[in-house]
Coordinates of all heavy atoms in Angstrom, one line a residue:
T68 N 37.6 16.1 3.4 CA 38.5 15.0 3.6 C 40.0 15.5 3.9 O 40.7 15.1 4.7 CB 38.6 14.1 2.4 OG1 37.2 13.6 2.1 CG2 39.5 12.9 2.6
G69 N 40.3 16.6 3.1 CA 41.6 17.2 3.2 C 41.8 17.8 4.6 O 42.8 17.7 5.3
L70 N 40.7 18.5 5.1 CA 40.8 19.1 6.5 C 40.9 18.1 7.5 O 41.6 18.2 8.6 CB 39.5 19.9 6.7 CG 39.4 21.2 5.9 CD1 38.0 21.9 6.1 CD2 40.5 22.2 6.2
K71 N 40.3 16.9 7.3 CA 40.4 15.8 8.3 C 41.8 15.3 8.4 O 42.3 15.2 9.5 CB 39.5 14.7 7.8 CG 39.5 13.5 8.8 CD 38.7 12.3 8.3 CE 39.5 11.6 7.2 NZ 38.8 10.3 6.8
Y72 N 42.5 15.2 7.3 CA 43.9 14.8 7.3 C 44.8 15.8 7.9 O 45.8 15.4 8.6 CB 44.4 14.3 5.9 CG 43.8 13.0 5.5 CD1 42.8 12.9 4.5 CD2 44.1 11.8 6.2 CE1 42.3 11.7 4.1 CE2 43.6 10.6 5.8 CZ 42.7 10.5 4.7 OH 42.1 9.3 4.4
V73 N 44.5 17.1 7.6 CA 45.3 18.2 8.2 C 45.1 18.2 9.7 O 46.1 18.3 10.5 CB 44.9 19.5 7.6 CG1 45.5 20.7 8.4 CG2 45.3 19.6 6.2
F74 N 43.9 17.9 10.2 CA 43.6 17.9 11.6 C 44.3 16.7 12.3 O 44.9 16.9 13.3 CB 42.1 17.8 11.8 CG 41.7 17.5 13.3 CD1 41.7 18.6 14.2 CD2 41.3 16.3 13.7 CE1 41.3 18.4 15.5 CE2 41.0 16.1 15.0 CZ 41.0 17.1 15.9
L75 N 44.3 15.6 11.6 CA 45.0 14.4 12.2 C 46.5 14.6 12.2 O 47.2 14.2 13.2 CB 44.7 13.2 11.3 CG 43.2 12.7 11.4 CD1 43.0 11.5 10.4 CD2 42.8 12.3 12.8
F76 N 47.1 15.2 11.2 CA 48.5 15.5 11.2 C 48.9 16.5 12.3 O 49.9 16.3 13.0 CB 48.9 16.0 9.8 CG 50.4 16.5 9.8 CD1 51.4 15.6 9.7 CD2 50.7 17.9 9.8 CE1 52.7 16.0 9.7 CE2 52.0 18.3 9.8 CZ 53.0 17.4 9.7
Y77 N 48.0 17.6 12.4 CA 48.3 18.6 13.5 C 48.3 18.0 14.8 O 49.1 18.3 15.7 CB 47.3 19.7 13.3 CG 47.5 20.8 14.2 CD1 48.5 21.7 14.1 CD2 46.6 21.1 15.3 CE1 48.7 22.8 15.0 CE2 46.7 22.1 16.1 CZ 47.8 23.0 16.0 OH 47.9 24.0 16.9
T78 N 47.2 17.1 15.0 CA 47.1 16.4 16.4 C 48.3 15.5 16.6 O 48.7 15.3 17.7 CB 45.8 15.6 16.4 OG1 44.7 16.5 16.1 CG2 45.6 15.0 17.8
S79 N 48.8 14.8 15.6 CA 49.9 13.9 15.7 C 51.2 14.6 16.2 O 52.1 13.9 16.7 CB 50.2 13.1 14.5 OG 50.7 14.0 13.4
I80 N 51.3 15.9 16.0 CA 52.5 16.6 16.4 C 52.7 16.5 18.0 O 53.8 16.6 18.5 CB 52.4 18.1 16.0 CG1 52.4 18.2 14.5 CG2 53.6 18.9 16.5 CD1 52.2 19.6 14.0
I81 N 51.5 16.4 18.6 CA 51.6 16.2 20.1 C 52.5 15.1 20.5 O 53.2 15.1 21.5 CB 50.2 16.0 20.7 CG1 49.4 17.3 20.4 CG2 50.2 15.7 22.2 CD1 47.9 17.1 20.8
F82 N 52.6 14.0 19.7 CA 53.3 12.8 20.0 C 54.8 12.8 19.5 O 55.5 12.1 20.1 CB 52.5 11.6 19.4 CG 51.1 11.4 20.0 CD1 50.1 11.9 19.3 CD2 50.9 10.8 21.2 CE1 48.8 11.8 19.8 CE2 49.6 10.6 21.7 CZ 48.6 11.1 21.0
W83 N 55.1 13.6 18.5 CA 56.4 13.5 18.1 C 57.2 14.8 18.3 O 58.5 14.8 18.3 CB 56.6 13.2 16.6 CG 55.9 14.1 15.6 CD1 54.6 13.8 15.0 CD2 56.3 15.3 15.0 NE1 54.3 14.7 14.1 CE2 55.3 15.7 14.1 CE3 57.5 16.0 15.1 CZ2 55.4 16.9 13.4 CZ3 57.6 17.2 14.4 CH2 56.6 17.6 13.6
A84 N 56.5 15.9 18.6 CA 57.2 17.2 19.1 C 58.0 17.0 20.3 O 59.1 17.6 20.5 CB 56.2 18.3 19.2
P85 N 57.5 16.2 21.3 CA 58.4 16.0 22.5 C 59.8 15.4 22.2 O 60.7 15.5 23.0 CB 57.5 15.0 23.3 CG 56.1 15.4 23.0 CD 56.2 15.7 21.5
L86 N 59.9 14.8 21.1 CA 61.2 14.3 20.7 C 62.3 15.4 20.5 O 63.4 15.3 20.8 CB 61.1 13.4 19.5 CG 60.2 12.1 19.6 CD1 60.1 11.5 18.2 CD2 60.7 11.2 20.6
V87 N 61.7 16.5 19.9 CA 62.6 17.7 19.7 C 63.0 18.3 21.1 O 64.1 18.7 21.4 CB 61.9 18.7 18.9 CG1 62.8 20.0 18.7 CG2 61.6 18.1 17.5
A88 N 62.0 18.3 22.0 CA 62.2 18.7 23.4 C 63.3 17.9 24.1 O 64.0 18.4 24.9 CB 60.9 18.8 24.2
I89 N 63.2 16.6 23.8 CA 64.2 15.7 24.5 C 65.6 16.1 24.0 O 66.6 16.2 24.8 CB 63.9 14.3 24.1 CG1 62.6 13.8 24.8 CG2 65.1 13.3 24.5 CD1 62.2 12.4 24.4
Y90 N 65.8 16.4 22.7 CA 67.1 16.8 22.2 C 67.6 18.1 22.8 O 68.7 18.2 23.2 CB 67.0 16.9 20.6 CG 68.2 17.5 20.0 CD1 69.4 16.7 19.9 CD2 68.2 18.7 19.5 CE1 70.5 17.2 19.3 CE2 69.3 19.3 18.9 CZ 70.5 18.5 18.8 OH 71.6 19.1 18.2
Q91 N 66.7 19.0 22.9 CA 67.1 20.3 23.5 C 67.4 20.2 25.0 O 68.4 20.8 25.4 CB 65.9 21.3 23.3 CG 65.6 21.7 21.9 CD 64.3 22.5 21.8 OE1 63.5 22.6 22.7 NE2 64.2 23.2 20.7
E92 N 66.6 19.4 25.7 CA 67.0 19.2 27.1 C 68.3 18.4 27.3 O 69.1 18.7 28.2 CB 65.8 18.5 27.8 CG 65.8 18.5 29.4 CD 65.5 19.9 29.9 OE1 65.2 20.8 29.2 OE2 65.7 20.0 31.2
H93 N 68.5 17.5 26.4 CA 69.7 16.6 26.5 C 70.9 17.5 26.3 O 72.0 17.3 27.0 CB 69.7 15.5 25.5 CG 71.0 14.8 25.4 ND1 71.4 13.9 26.3 CD2 71.9 14.8 24.4 CE1 72.5 13.3 26.0 NE2 72.9 13.9 24.9
K94 N 70.9 18.5 25.4 CA 72.0 19.4 25.2 C 72.3 20.2 26.4 O 73.5 20.5 26.7 CB 71.7 20.3 24.0 CG 71.8 19.7 22.7 CD 71.9 20.7 21.5 CE 70.8 21.8 21.6 NZ 70.9 22.8 20.5
I95 N 71.3 20.7 27.2 CA 71.5 21.5 28.4 C 72.3 20.6 29.4 O 73.2 21.1 30.1 CB 70.1 21.9 28.9 CG1 69.5 22.9 27.9 CG2 70.3 22.6 30.3 CD1 68.0 23.2 28.2
W96 N 71.8 19.4 29.6 CA 72.4 18.6 30.7 C 73.7 18.0 30.3 O 74.5 17.5 31.2 CB 71.4 17.5 31.1 CG 70.2 18.1 31.9 CD1 69.1 18.6 31.3 CD2 70.0 18.2 33.3 NE1 68.3 19.1 32.2 CE2 68.8 18.9 33.5 CE3 70.8 17.9 34.4 CZ2 68.3 19.1 34.8 CZ3 70.3 18.2 35.6 CH2 69.1 18.8 35.8
A97 N 73.9 17.9 29.0 CA 75.2 17.2 28.5 C 76.3 18.4 28.3 O 77.4 18.0 28.0 CB 75.0 16.5 27.2
R98 N 75.9 19.6 28.6 CA 76.8 20.7 28.2 C 78.0 20.7 29.2 O 79.1 21.1 28.9 CB 76.0 22.0 28.3 CG 76.9 23.2 27.9 CD 76.0 24.4 27.8 NE 76.7 25.6 27.3 CZ 76.9 25.9 26.0 NH1 76.3 25.2 25.2 NH2 77.6 27.0 25.7
S99 N 77.8 20.4 30.5 CA 78.8 20.4 31.5 C 79.0 19.0 32.2 O 78.0 18.4 32.5 CB 78.4 21.5 32.6 OG 79.3 21.4 33.6
P100 N 80.2 18.7 32.4 CA 80.5 17.3 33.2 C 80.1 17.4 34.6 O 80.1 16.5 35.4 CB 81.9 17.1 32.9 CG 82.5 18.4 32.7 CD 81.5 19.2 31.9
A101 N 79.9 18.7 35.1 CA 79.5 18.9 36.5 C 78.1 18.4 36.9 O 77.7 18.3 38.0 CB 79.7 20.4 36.9
V102 N 77.2 18.2 35.8 CA 75.8 17.8 36.1 C 75.6 16.5 35.3 O 76.3 16.3 34.3 CB 74.8 18.9 35.6 CG1 75.0 20.1 36.4 CG2 75.0 19.2 34.1
P103 N 74.8 15.7 35.8 CA 74.6 14.4 35.1 C 73.8 14.5 33.8 O 72.9 15.3 33.7 CB 73.7 13.6 36.2 CG 73.0 14.7 36.9 CD 74.0 15.8 37.0
S104 N 74.2 13.8 32.8 CA 73.5 13.8 31.6 C 72.2 12.9 31.7 O 72.0 12.2 32.6 CB 74.4 13.1 30.5 OG 75.5 13.9 30.3
L105 N 71.3 13.1 30.8 CA 70.0 12.4 30.8 C 70.3 10.9 30.5 O 70.9 10.6 29.5 CB 69.0 12.9 29.8 CG 68.5 14.3 30.1 CD1 67.5 14.7 29.0 CD2 67.8 14.4 31.4
N106 N 69.8 10.0 31.4 CA 69.8 8.6 31.1 C 68.5 8.2 30.4 O 67.6 9.1 30.1 CB 70.1 7.8 32.3 CG 69.1 8.0 33.4 OD1 67.9 8.5 33.1 ND2 69.4 7.7 34.7
L107 N 68.3 7.0 30.2 CA 67.1 6.5 29.5 C 65.8 6.8 30.2 O 64.8 7.3 29.7 CB 67.2 5.0 29.2 CG 66.0 4.4 28.5 CD1 65.8 5.0 27.1 CD2 66.1 2.8 28.4
L108 N 65.9 6.7 31.5 CA 64.8 7.1 32.4 C 64.4 8.6 32.3 O 63.3 9.0 32.2 CB 65.0 6.7 33.8 CG 63.9 7.0 34.8 CD1 62.7 6.1 34.5 CD2 64.4 6.6 36.3
G109 N 65.5 9.4 32.3 CA 65.3 10.8 32.2 C 64.7 11.2 30.8 O 63.9 12.1 30.8
I110 N 65.1 10.5 29.7 CA 64.6 10.8 28.4 C 63.1 10.5 28.4 O 62.3 11.2 27.8 CB 65.3 10.0 27.4 CG1 66.8 10.5 27.2 CG2 64.6 10.0 26.0 CD1 67.7 9.7 26.3
V111 N 62.7 9.4 29.0 CA 61.3 9.0 29.0 C 60.4 10.1 29.8 O 59.3 10.5 29.4 CB 61.1 7.6 29.7 CG1 59.6 7.3 29.9 CG2 61.7 6.5 28.8
K112 N 61.0 10.6 30.9 CA 60.3 11.5 31.7 C 60.1 12.9 31.0 O 59.2 13.6 31.1 CB 61.0 11.7 33.1 CG 60.9 10.4 33.9 CD 61.6 10.6 35.3 CE 61.0 11.6 36.1 NZ 61.6 11.7 37.5
V113 N 61.2 13.2 30.3 CA 61.1 14.5 29.5 C 60.0 14.4 28.5 O 59.2 15.3 28.2 CB 62.4 14.8 28.8 CG1 62.3 16.1 27.9 CG2 63.5 15.2 29.9
Y114 N 59.9 13.2 27.9 CA 58.8 13.0 26.9 C 57.5 13.0 27.5 O 56.6 13.7 27.0 CB 59.0 11.6 26.2 CG 58.0 11.3 25.1 CD1 58.2 11.7 23.8 CD2 56.8 10.6 25.4 CE1 57.3 11.4 22.9 CE2 55.9 10.3 24.5 CZ 56.2 10.7 23.2 OH 55.2 10.5 22.2
I115 N 57.3 12.4 28.7 CA 56.0 12.4 29.4 C 55.7 13.8 29.8 O 54.5 14.3 29.7 CB 56.1 11.5 30.6 CG1 56.2 10.0 30.2 CG2 54.9 11.7 31.5 CD1 56.4 9.1 31.3
F116 N 56.7 14.6 30.3 CA 56.4 16.0 30.7 C 55.8 16.8 29.6 O 54.8 17.5 29.7 CB 57.7 16.6 31.3 CG 57.6 18.0 31.6 CD1 56.9 18.5 32.7 CD2 58.2 19.0 30.7 CE1 56.8 19.9 33.0 CE2 58.1 20.3 31.0 CZ 57.5 20.8 32.1
N117 N 56.5 16.7 28.4 CA 56.0 17.6 27.2 C 54.7 17.0 26.6 O 53.9 17.8 26.2 CB 57.1 17.5 26.2 CG 58.3 18.4 26.5 OD1 58.3 19.6 26.3 ND2 59.3 17.9 27.2
L118 N 54.6 15.7 26.7 CA 53.3 15.1 26.1 C 52.1 15.5 27.0 O 51.1 15.9 26.5 CB 53.4 13.6 26.1 CG 52.2 12.8 25.6 CD1 52.0 13.1 24.1 CD2 52.4 11.4 25.8
A119 N 52.3 15.5 28.3 CA 51.2 15.9 29.2 C 50.9 17.4 29.0 O 49.8 17.9 29.0 CB 51.6 15.6 30.7
F120 N 52.0 18.2 28.9 CA 51.8 19.6 28.8 C 51.1 20.0 27.5 O 50.1 20.8 27.5 CB 53.2 20.3 28.8 CG 53.2 21.7 29.3 CD1 53.4 22.1 30.5 CD2 52.9 22.8 28.4 CE1 53.4 23.4 31.0 CE2 52.9 24.1 28.8 CZ 53.1 24.4 30.1
M121 N 51.5 19.4 26.4 CA 50.8 19.7 25.2 C 49.4 19.1 25.1 O 48.5 19.7 24.5 CB 51.7 19.2 24.0 CG 53.0 19.9 23.9 SD 54.1 19.2 22.6 CE 53.1 19.7 21.2
G122 N 49.3 17.9 25.6 CA 48.0 17.3 25.5 C 46.8 18.0 26.3 O 45.8 18.2 25.8
V123 N 47.2 18.4 27.5 CA 46.2 19.2 28.3 C 45.9 20.5 27.7 O 44.8 21.0 27.7 CB 46.7 19.3 29.8 CG1 45.8 20.1 30.6 CG2 46.9 17.9 30.4
S124 N 47.0 21.1 27.2 CA 46.8 22.4 26.5 C 45.9 22.2 25.3 O 45.0 23.1 25.0 CB 48.1 23.0 26.0 OG 49.0 23.3 27.0
Y125 N 46.0 21.2 24.5 CA 45.2 20.9 23.4 C 43.7 20.8 23.8 O 42.8 21.4 23.2 CB 45.7 19.6 22.7 CG 45.1 19.4 21.3 CD1 45.5 20.2 20.3 CD2 44.3 18.3 21.1 CE1 45.0 20.0 19.0 CE2 43.7 18.1 19.8 CZ 44.1 18.9 18.8 OH 43.6 18.7 17.5
I126 N 43.5 20.0 24.8 CA 42.1 19.8 25.3 C 41.5 21.1 25.8 O 40.3 21.5 25.5 CB 41.9 18.7 26.3 CG1 42.4 17.4 25.7 CG2 40.6 18.6 26.9 CD1 42.6 16.2 26.7
G127 N 42.3 21.8 26.6 CA 41.8 23.1 27.2 C 41.5 24.1 26.1 O 40.5 24.9 26.3
S128 N 42.3 24.2 25.1 CA 42.1 25.2 24.1 C 40.8 24.9 23.3 O 40.0 25.8 22.9 CB 43.3 25.3 23.1 OG 43.5 24.1 22.5

Side-chain angles (χ1 to χ4, degrees):
T68 303
L70 290 176
K71 180 186 74 172
Y72 286 111
V73 170
F74 174 77
L75 292 175
F76 173 77
Y77 183 70
T78 305
S79 69
I80 298 176
I81 296 175
F82 299 95
W83 57 263
L86 299 176
V87 179
I89 291 173
Y90 172 73
Q91 295 174 341
E92 192 74 4
H93 174 72
K94 286 197 305 181
I95 297 170
W96 290 83
R98 189 177 181 86
S99 171
V102 296
S104 299
L105 293 181
N106 57 21
L107 181 59
L108 182 61
I110 290 173
V111 172
K112 291 178 66 176
V113 173
Y114 182 86
I115 293 174
F116 172 75
N117 284 273
L118 181 65
F120 204 95
M121 295 178 66
V123 175
S124 295
Y125 192 69
I126 297 172
S128 61

